[in-house]
Amino acid sequence: MYVSGHTKEEQEKFMQRAFEVALNGMLQKKGGPFGCVIVKDGEIIGEGCNQVTSSNDPTAHAEIVAIRNACKSLNTFQLDGCEIYTTCEPCPMCLGAIYWARPKVIYFGNTRSEAAKIGFDDQMIYDEIPLPHASRSLPIHQLRVSQTALLFSQWEELKDKKKY
């Protein structure tokens, strides 16, 4: 198991804060029962609760909100050296965002199967991802125009671009 450099008590304190953020958001009717905090060097640098229903934004999951806040706090698009404490195992969207943000570890409370039992079931997405496009329940088709390929060639030639 990964050791963060924090004591078990410190880790539990961060998870407790994620719980508090989730509970407060839920009681304030911001969204579902999910909370997340992001820690760097022992300090919370970003936190977020689920805000899907209050913001009418299907991407406003606790982890996404916390990532946005942490990146703004650090003035960067990556979370190098950071730890994520989230009250539930991240869904596929959040897990993808977390990988892009590149923290060093994720700690979660509840499992995705426990979330499914209360109505937050992502299994369909997990099942769809490995399927060929033509076999997915949501139609997905490639539609190329000359400009789409041009974007990539222009990106390759662009000077002073910030790689990520």
Coordinates of all heavy atoms in Angstrom, one line a residue, residues 29-77:
K29 N -28.5 20.9 -0.6 CA -29.2 20.5 -1.8 C -28.4 20.9 -3.1 O -28.9 21.2 -4.1 CB -30.6 21.1 -1.9 CG -31.5 20.9 -0.7 CD -32.1 19.6 -0.8 CE -33.2 19.5 0.3 NZ -33.1 18.4 1.2
K30 N -27.1 20.8 -3.0 CA -26.2 21.1 -4.1 C -26.1 19.9 -5.0 O -25.9 20.1 -6.2 CB -24.8 21.5 -3.6 CG -24.7 22.8 -3.0 CD -23.3 23.2 -2.6 CE -23.3 24.6 -2.0 NZ -21.9 25.0 -1.7
G31 N -26.2 18.7 -4.5 CA -26.1 17.5 -5.3 C -26.1 16.2 -4.4 O -26.4 16.3 -3.3
G32 N -25.5 15.2 -5.0 CA -25.5 13.9 -4.3 C -24.5 13.8 -3.2 O -23.7 14.8 -2.9
P33 N -24.4 12.7 -2.5 CA -23.6 12.5 -1.3 C -22.1 12.2 -1.5 O -21.6 11.2 -1.1 CB -24.3 11.3 -0.6 CG -24.8 10.5 -1.8 CD -25.2 11.5 -2.8
F34 N -21.5 13.2 -2.2 CA -20.1 13.0 -2.5 C -19.3 14.2 -2.2 O -19.7 15.4 -2.4 CB -19.9 12.7 -4.0 CG -20.8 11.5 -4.5 CD1 -22.0 11.8 -5.1 CD2 -20.4 10.2 -4.2 CE1 -22.8 10.7 -5.5 CE2 -21.2 9.2 -4.6 CZ -22.4 9.4 -5.3
G35 N -18.0 14.0 -1.7 CA -17.1 15.1 -1.3 C -15.7 14.7 -1.6 O -15.4 13.5 -1.6
C36 N -14.9 15.7 -1.8 CA -13.5 15.4 -2.2 C -12.6 16.5 -1.7 O -13.0 17.7 -1.7 CB -13.4 15.3 -3.7 SG -11.7 15.0 -4.3
V37 N -11.4 16.2 -1.1 CA -10.4 17.2 -0.8 C -9.1 16.8 -1.5 O -8.8 15.6 -1.7 CB -10.2 17.4 0.7 CG1 -11.5 17.9 1.3 CG2 -9.7 16.2 1.4
I38 N -8.3 17.8 -1.8 CA -7.0 17.5 -2.4 C -6.0 18.2 -1.5 O -6.1 19.3 -1.1 CB -7.0 18.1 -3.9 CG1 -8.0 17.4 -4.7 CG2 -5.6 17.9 -4.5 CD1 -8.2 17.8 -6.1
V39 N -4.9 17.4 -1.2 CA -3.9 17.8 -0.2 C -2.6 17.8 -0.9 O -2.2 16.9 -1.7 CB -3.9 16.7 0.9 CG1 -2.8 17.0 1.9 CG2 -5.3 16.7 1.6
K40 N -1.8 18.9 -0.6 CA -0.4 19.0 -1.0 C 0.4 19.4 0.2 O 0.0 20.4 0.9 CB -0.3 19.9 -2.2 CG 1.2 20.0 -2.6 CD 1.3 20.7 -4.0 CE 2.8 20.6 -4.4 NZ 3.0 20.3 -5.8
D41 N 1.4 18.7 0.5 CA 2.3 19.0 1.6 C 1.6 19.2 2.9 O 1.9 20.1 3.7 CB 3.2 20.2 1.3 CG 4.0 20.1 0.0 OD1 4.5 18.9 -0.2 OD2 4.2 21.1 -0.7
G42 N 0.6 18.3 3.1 CA -0.1 18.3 4.4 C -1.2 19.4 4.5 O -1.9 19.5 5.5
E43 N -1.5 20.1 3.4 CA -2.5 21.2 3.5 C -3.6 20.9 2.4 O -3.2 20.6 1.3 CB -1.9 22.6 3.3 CG -1.0 23.0 4.4 CD -0.6 24.5 4.2 OE1 -1.4 25.3 3.7 OE2 0.6 24.8 4.6
I44 N -4.8 21.2 2.8 CA -5.9 21.1 1.8 C -5.8 22.3 0.9 O -5.8 23.4 1.3 CB -7.3 21.0 2.5 CG1 -7.4 19.7 3.3 CG2 -8.4 21.1 1.5 CD1 -8.6 19.6 4.2
I45 N -5.7 22.0 -0.4 CA -5.5 23.1 -1.4 C -6.8 23.2 -2.3 O -6.9 24.1 -3.1 CB -4.3 22.9 -2.3 CG1 -4.3 21.5 -2.9 CG2 -3.0 23.1 -1.4 CD1 -3.5 21.4 -4.2
G46 N -7.7 22.2 -2.2 CA -8.9 22.3 -3.0 C -9.9 21.3 -2.4 O -9.5 20.2 -1.9
E47 N -11.2 21.6 -2.5 CA -12.2 20.7 -2.1 C -13.4 21.0 -2.9 O -13.6 22.0 -3.6 CB -12.5 20.9 -0.6 CG -12.7 22.2 0.0 CD -12.9 22.3 1.5 OE1 -12.1 21.6 2.3 OE2 -13.8 23.0 1.9
G48 N -14.3 20.0 -2.9 CA -15.5 20.1 -3.7 C -16.5 19.1 -3.3 O -16.2 18.0 -2.9
C49 N -17.8 19.5 -3.4 CA -18.9 18.6 -3.2 C -19.6 18.4 -4.6 O -19.4 19.2 -5.5 CB -19.9 19.1 -2.2 SG -20.7 20.6 -2.7
N50 N -20.4 17.4 -4.7 CA -21.2 17.2 -5.9 C -22.2 18.3 -6.1 O -22.9 18.7 -5.1 CB -21.9 15.8 -5.8 CG -22.7 15.5 -7.1 OD1 -23.7 16.2 -7.3 ND2 -22.3 14.6 -7.8
Q51 N -22.2 18.9 -7.3 CA -23.0 20.1 -7.6 C -23.8 19.9 -8.9 O -24.2 20.8 -9.5 CB -22.2 21.3 -7.6 CG -21.5 21.7 -6.4 CD -20.5 22.8 -6.5 OE1 -20.7 23.7 -7.3 NE2 -19.5 22.9 -5.6
V52 N -24.0 18.6 -9.3 CA -24.6 18.3 -10.5 C -26.0 19.0 -10.6 O -26.3 19.7 -11.6 CB -24.7 16.8 -10.8 CG1 -25.6 16.4 -12.0 CG2 -23.3 16.2 -10.9
T53 N -26.9 18.7 -9.6 CA -28.3 19.2 -9.8 C -28.4 20.7 -9.5 O -29.3 21.3 -10.1 CB -29.2 18.4 -8.8 OG1 -28.7 18.5 -7.5 CG2 -29.2 16.9 -9.2
S54 N -27.6 21.3 -8.7 CA -27.7 22.7 -8.4 C -27.1 23.6 -9.5 O -27.6 24.7 -9.7 CB -27.1 23.0 -7.0 OG -25.7 22.8 -7.1
S55 N -26.2 23.0 -10.2 CA -25.5 23.8 -11.3 C -26.0 23.4 -12.7 O -25.6 24.0 -13.6 CB -24.0 23.7 -11.2 OG -23.6 22.3 -11.5
N56 N -26.8 22.3 -12.7 CA -27.2 21.8 -14.0 C -26.0 21.5 -14.9 O -26.0 21.7 -16.1 CB -28.2 22.7 -14.7 CG -29.5 22.9 -14.0 OD1 -30.0 21.9 -13.5 ND2 -30.0 24.1 -13.9
D57 N -25.0 20.9 -14.2 CA -23.8 20.5 -14.9 C -23.5 19.1 -14.6 O -23.1 18.7 -13.5 CB -22.7 21.4 -14.4 CG -21.3 21.1 -15.1 OD1 -21.2 20.1 -15.8 OD2 -20.4 21.9 -14.8
P58 N -23.6 18.2 -15.6 CA -23.4 16.8 -15.3 C -21.9 16.5 -15.0 O -21.6 15.4 -14.5 CB -23.8 16.1 -16.6 CG -23.8 17.1 -17.7 CD -24.1 18.4 -17.0
T59 N -21.0 17.4 -15.3 CA -19.6 17.2 -14.9 C -19.2 17.7 -13.6 O -18.1 17.6 -13.1 CB -18.7 17.8 -16.0 OG1 -18.8 19.3 -15.9 CG2 -19.0 17.4 -17.4
A60 N -20.2 18.3 -12.8 CA -19.8 18.9 -11.5 C -19.8 17.9 -10.4 O -20.4 18.1 -9.3 CB -20.8 20.0 -11.2
H61 N -19.1 16.8 -10.6 CA -18.9 15.8 -9.6 C -17.9 16.4 -8.5 O -17.1 17.3 -8.9 CB -18.3 14.5 -10.1 CG -19.3 13.8 -11.0 ND1 -19.2 12.4 -11.2 CD2 -20.5 14.2 -11.6 CE1 -20.2 12.0 -12.0 NE2 -21.0 13.0 -12.2
A62 N -17.9 15.8 -7.3 CA -17.0 16.3 -6.3 C -15.6 16.4 -6.7 O -14.9 17.4 -6.4 CB -17.2 15.5 -5.0
E63 N -15.1 15.3 -7.3 CA -13.7 15.3 -7.7 C -13.3 16.3 -8.7 O -12.3 16.9 -8.7 CB -13.3 13.9 -8.2 CG -13.5 12.8 -7.2 CD -14.8 12.1 -7.2 OE1 -15.8 12.7 -7.7 OE2 -14.9 11.0 -6.6
I64 N -14.2 16.5 -9.7 CA -14.0 17.5 -10.8 C -13.9 18.9 -10.1 O -13.1 19.7 -10.4 CB -15.1 17.4 -11.9 CG1 -15.1 16.0 -12.5 CG2 -14.9 18.5 -12.9 CD1 -13.9 15.6 -13.3
V65 N -14.9 19.2 -9.3 CA -15.0 20.5 -8.6 C -13.7 20.7 -7.8 O -13.1 21.8 -7.8 CB -16.2 20.6 -7.7 CG1 -16.2 21.9 -6.9 CG2 -17.5 20.6 -8.6
A66 N -13.3 19.7 -7.0 CA -12.0 19.8 -6.2 C -10.8 20.0 -7.1 O -9.9 20.8 -6.7 CB -11.9 18.6 -5.3
I67 N -10.7 19.2 -8.2 CA -9.6 19.4 -9.1 C -9.5 20.8 -9.6 O -8.4 21.4 -9.7 CB -9.7 18.4 -10.3 CG1 -9.4 17.0 -9.8 CG2 -8.7 18.8 -11.4 CD1 -9.7 15.9 -10.8
R68 N -10.6 21.3 -10.1 CA -10.7 22.7 -10.6 C -10.2 23.7 -9.5 O -9.4 24.6 -9.8 CB -12.1 23.1 -11.1 CG -12.5 22.4 -12.3 CD -13.9 22.6 -12.7 NE -14.3 21.9 -13.9 CZ -15.5 21.6 -14.3 NH1 -16.5 21.9 -13.5 NH2 -15.7 20.9 -15.4
N69 N -10.7 23.5 -8.3 CA -10.3 24.4 -7.2 C -8.8 24.3 -6.8 O -8.1 25.3 -6.6 CB -11.2 24.2 -6.0 CG -12.6 24.7 -6.2 OD1 -12.9 25.6 -7.0 ND2 -13.5 24.1 -5.5
A70 N -8.3 23.1 -6.8 CA -6.9 22.8 -6.5 C -6.0 23.4 -7.5 O -5.0 24.0 -7.2 CB -6.7 21.4 -6.3
C71 N -6.3 23.2 -8.8 CA -5.5 23.7 -9.9 C -5.5 25.2 -9.9 O -4.5 25.9 -10.1 CB -6.0 23.2 -11.2 SG -5.6 21.4 -11.5
K72 N -6.7 25.8 -9.6 CA -6.7 27.3 -9.5 C -5.8 27.8 -8.3 O -5.1 28.7 -8.5 CB -8.2 27.7 -9.3 CG -8.4 29.2 -9.3 CD -9.8 29.6 -9.3 CE -10.0 31.1 -9.3 NZ -11.4 31.5 -9.3
S73 N -5.9 27.1 -7.2 CA -5.1 27.4 -6.0 C -3.6 27.3 -6.3 O -2.8 28.2 -5.9 CB -5.5 26.5 -4.9 OG -4.6 26.7 -3.8
L74 N -3.2 26.3 -7.1 CA -1.8 26.1 -7.4 C -1.4 26.8 -8.7 O -0.2 26.8 -9.0 CB -1.5 24.6 -7.5 CG -1.7 23.7 -6.3 CD1 -1.5 22.3 -6.7 CD2 -0.7 24.2 -5.2
N75 N -2.3 27.4 -9.4 CA -2.0 28.0 -10.7 C -1.3 27.1 -11.6 O -0.3 27.5 -12.2 CB -1.2 29.3 -10.5 CG -1.3 30.2 -11.7 OD1 -2.2 30.2 -12.4 ND2 -0.2 30.9 -11.9
T76 N -1.9 25.9 -11.8 CA -1.3 24.9 -12.7 C -2.4 24.0 -13.1 O -3.5 23.9 -12.5 CB -0.2 24.1 -12.0 OG1 0.4 23.2 -13.0 CG2 -0.7 23.3 -10.8
F77 N -2.2 23.2 -14.2 CA -3.1 22.2 -14.7 C -2.8 20.8 -14.2 O -3.5 19.9 -14.6 CB -3.3 22.3 -16.2 CG -2.0 22.1 -16.9 CD1 -1.6 20.8 -17.2 CD2 -1.2 23.2 -17.3 CE1 -0.4 20.7 -17.9 CE2 0.0 23.1 -18.0 CZ 0.4 21.8 -18.3

